Amino acid sequence: MSSALTPSAVREIADGYAFTGPALDLGAVLLDGTAYPDAQVRIPLGVLNRHGLVAGATGTGKTKTLQLIAEQLSAQGVPVFLADVKGDVSGVAAPGAPSERTAARAAEVGQQWTPQGCPVEFYSLGGQGAGIPIRATVTSFGPLLLAKVLDLNETQESSLSLVFHYADTKGLELYDLKDLTAVIAFLASPEGKEELRTIGGLSSATAGVILRALTLLENEGAGAFFGEPEFDTAELLRTAPDGRGVVSVLELPAVQDRPRLFSTFLMWLLADLYQELPEVGDLDKPKLVFFFDEAHLLFKGASKAFLEAITQTVRLIRSKAVGIFFVTQSPRDVPSDVLAQLGNRVQHALRAFTPDDAKALKATVSTFPRSSYDLGAVLTSLGTGEAVVTVLSEKGAPTPVAATRLRAPQSLMGPIEAGALRAVVDASPLTARYRDAIDRESAYEKLAARAARAPRPEAAAPARVPKEREPAPRREEPKGAGGLLDSLLSNPTVKSLARSAGKQLGQEISRSLFGTSKRRR
């Protein structure tokens, strides 16, 4: 690892990380293959709400870095959220196994290594896995996030927003996918078209596209992710009786073949946290640090309105004392507007085997502060468990760029046994609260009842879904539905709705991120 640095320059780098307040210890400054244990690289606890990026090629140690940061946050009383995409993060719940390799690493970086696990809750999406089920109602999930899951274009997305608006104003609760299917089928019928006449309409072709996408989603087993009891994101903010922060691990191996779905669900968790948490500004430590693994999946194929909403989330949620770390292979996976807001960087090794790789490497080097390192050479020669680091100081200024040999996690570096994981889940008080799905009266039942009361035409309509019923007496509309979808009523056509969707979201982000609804109290 060649560089223009000398051992005296190592001390200058270390001085940039000599913080006076509480901080997380990442490792020791690295120069020409040698770690300097007296030159420690750290992150101040108080700047972790300024967000961050953990990037690097496959196999370079990103997961262990997450584990290292998570266990130190927990020890400082900060709750943590981790998405376990590959099933190898569950070891954070158990003490690590001593070994010669771990002891050698600890000696190299000046670490007093002691095996210790963290207080952990294990979750799974819709119960597809051993963890506590996480569900969201369709109403709460909102049209913008659901459009991302369904891979809709902008016109179809705006039509879906109109469907949500109608359901909100008519008091039709969208708890699960069958509720949404019933409302779309009704609005595509003659009676439904008449009710939408003053604010636009839902074309049969668009309705068909959305219904087919919903059917495909349900056939893939995703129907279990939507419904009640809806997960309360306040559960992610808990601390253990001993004061340590609870590490919430969301198991994703059972749904890793549906990346668009699970990445959007992670965004729903953040959007819901933003809506529910009060403004607190900069605290001595964050209320939660949220690691967004496989971040490139969130941005891939996203609409302009969706990307604008993500940018707004990242910009504003820091005032709620929530820090977000995006975890991905290359910084280029994260849009520049989002990347510009990330104050803390842990960059593992990059590979440069192709012209595209070389271009990505050059772009990554350009995003770091000026330093004496030859970063192009350093980033391609880092070993596993080594990274280039720059963070924000306690005063908010970037620290010197530091090649770093990272510390070893003190928890188990690998998955815990299935029986041990199941024991943690069974012992949790949240299991009884969220384990069993419930199906209350909602849009599907209300529309079915409405169709049953309607006068029957000469040709009987299909019995299951009220698609072609004769008009029935309208119910009185509830007053003041509120939210993003309520604002759409002022738009005379679906085309106008599509033009204004991103603008409306930005204006009402404090209460309607991604069109998500306020939690029912």
Side-chain angles (χ1 to χ4, degrees):
M1 182 189 300
S2 61
S3 76
L5 291 177
T6 63
S8 61
V10 170
R11 174 48 53 193
E12 294 179 10
I13 293 175
D15 289 344
Y17 292 88
F19 311 122
T20 58
L24 310 185
D25 297 311
L26 293 182
V29 174
L30 186 65
L31 174 62
D32 293 330
T34 301
Y36 290 76
D38 293 335
Q40 290 293 305
V41 177
R42 312 166 75 215
I43 304 179
L45 190 61
V47 303
L48 284 167
N49 69 323
R50 305 295 183 90
H51 313 314
L53 176 74
V54 178
T58 300
T60 55
K62 296 191 298 295
T63 300
K64 300 302 178 286
T65 298
L66 306 189
Q67 196 169 340
L68 172 67
I69 296 174
E71 62 188 25
Q72 292 190 62
L73 285 168
S74 175
Q76 299 267 17
V78 179
V80 177
F81 175 89
L82 293 172
D84 188 3
V85 178
K86 300 174 184 176
D88 53 2
V89 179
S90 60
V92 73
S99 67
E100 291 183 3
R101 184 176 180 182
T102 299
R105 171 59 66 102
E108 290 171 354
V109 300
Q111 177 185 11
Q112 297 296 319
W113 189 89
T114 304
Q116 185 176 24
C118 301
V120 174
E121 291 281 12
F122 292 104
Y123 298 97
S124 61
L125 284 185
Q128 295 196 9
I132 300 162
I134 287 182
R135 303 180 187 89
T137 64
V138 172
T139 290
S140 175
F141 206 71
L144 197 57
L145 288 173
L146 190 59
K148 177 71 162 57
V149 172
L150 298 176
D151 198 20
L152 303 182
N153 62 32
E154 291 189 5
T155 300
Q156 294 156 357
E157 179 182 294
S158 66
S159 295
L160 186 62
S161 295
L162 189 63
V163 173
F164 273 74
H165 165 69
Y166 175 84
D168 282 355
T169 58
K170 294 295 184 179
L172 296 173
E173 300 88 353
L174 304 177
Y175 292 153
D176 51 30
L177 294 183
K178 76 175 186 300
D179 291 324
L180 181 59
T181 298
V183 173
I184 294 172
F186 170 74
L187 292 178
S189 71
E191 181 183 355
K193 288 179 182 294
E194 177 61 24
E195 294 206 14
L196 288 180
R197 183 174 56 83
T198 60
I199 56 171
L202 179 66
S203 72
S204 298
T206 298
V209 169
I210 299 174
L211 287 173
R212 285 192 295 273
L214 286 170
T215 299
L216 179 61
L217 189 66
E218 193 147 23
N219 288 342
E220 292 176 343
F225 305 155
F226 296 96
E228 293 191 305
E230 182 174 82
F231 182 70
D232 186 348
T233 50
E235 311 285 11
L236 303 179
L237 306 176
R238 295 184 301 124
T239 55
D242 62 4
R244 289 184 295 166
V246 172
V247 179
S248 298
V249 177
L250 178 62
E251 308 173 73
L252 294 173
V255 295
Q256 61 180 314
D257 59 336
R258 281 163 279 182
R260 184 185 298 271
L261 181 64
F262 74 68
S263 64
T264 311
F265 250 88
L266 296 183
M267 201 67 236
W268 172 76
L269 291 173
L270 280 176
D272 194 75
L273 282 166
Y274 180 84
Q275 289 185 180
E276 297 302 316
L277 291 175
E279 296 274 349
V280 294
D282 291 327
L283 301 178
D284 292 337
K285 62 182 180 182
K287 289 184 175 181
L288 174 72
V289 175
F290 193 106
F291 289 93
F292 207 123
D293 206 355
E294 301 290 342
H296 65 284
L297 300 173
L298 179 69
F299 303 111
K300 184 178 180 180
S303 68
K304 181 180 179 181
F306 190 86
L307 290 175
E308 288 175 352
I310 295 174
T311 305
Q312 291 275 18
T313 306
V314 175
R315 181 180 297 122
L316 299 177
I317 203 171
R318 55 162 288 196
S319 64
K320 307 294 184 85
V322 175
I324 306 170
F325 272 75
F326 292 100
V327 185
T328 188
Q329 292 193 14
S330 169
R332 293 207 307 173
D333 296 334
V334 181
S336 57
D337 287 345
V338 176
L339 195 63
Q341 299 178 57
L342 309 183
N344 305 299
R345 297 273 300 275
V346 180
Q347 177 66 61
H348 287 266
L350 291 175
R351 309 304 180 208
F353 297 135
T354 69
D356 285 344
D357 291 341
K359 184 177 180 181
L361 175 63
K362 184 177 180 179
T364 299
V365 169
S366 69
T367 63
F368 278 91
R370 186 182 301 275
S371 78
S372 299
Y373 282 106
D374 179 357
L375 285 179
V378 171
L379 287 173
T380 54
S381 60
L382 290 170
T384 301
E386 298 175 349
V388 171
V389 175
T390 180
V391 302
L392 294 180
S393 71
E394 293 167 311
K395 296 181 179 180
T399 59
V401 174
T404 306
R405 180 162 291 161
L406 298 168
R407 294 186 169 212
Q410 297 184 134
S411 53
L412 183 64
M413 290 187 282
I416 62 173
E417 295 181 356
L421 192 155
R422 172 54 65 186
V424 173
V425 174
D426 290 343
S428 172
L430 302 184
T431 298
R433 188 179 308 169
Y434 295 108
R435 178 184 55 212
D436 299 324
I438 56 178
D439 188 7
R440 295 193 293 158
E441 182 186 52
S442 48
Y444 179 83
E445 290 79 13
K446 289 182 178 181
L447 286 173
R450 173 174 177 165
R453 293 194 303 270
R456 290 184 175 274
E458 291 183 6
R464 184 175 180 273
V465 178
K467 291 183 178 179
E468 301 291 337
R469 303 288 188 184
E470 287 292 322
R474 297 184 183 180
R475 293 186 179 186
E476 183 177 347
E477 294 188 18
K479 303 290 185 182
L484 171 67
L485 295 175
D486 208 23
S487 71
L488 300 179
L489 183 60
S490 61
N491 296 294
T493 64
V494 174
K495 182 178 179 181
S496 177
L497 172 66
R499 287 198 307 266
S500 64
K503 180 179 178 182
Q504 291 291 340
L505 183 64
Q507 292 173 343
E508 303 189 2
I509 192 167
S510 63
R511 58 188 174 89
S512 296
L513 278 171
F514 297 99
T516 55
S517 68
K518 282 283 189 179
R519 184 175 299 281
R520 299 181 304 279
R521 295 296 185 187

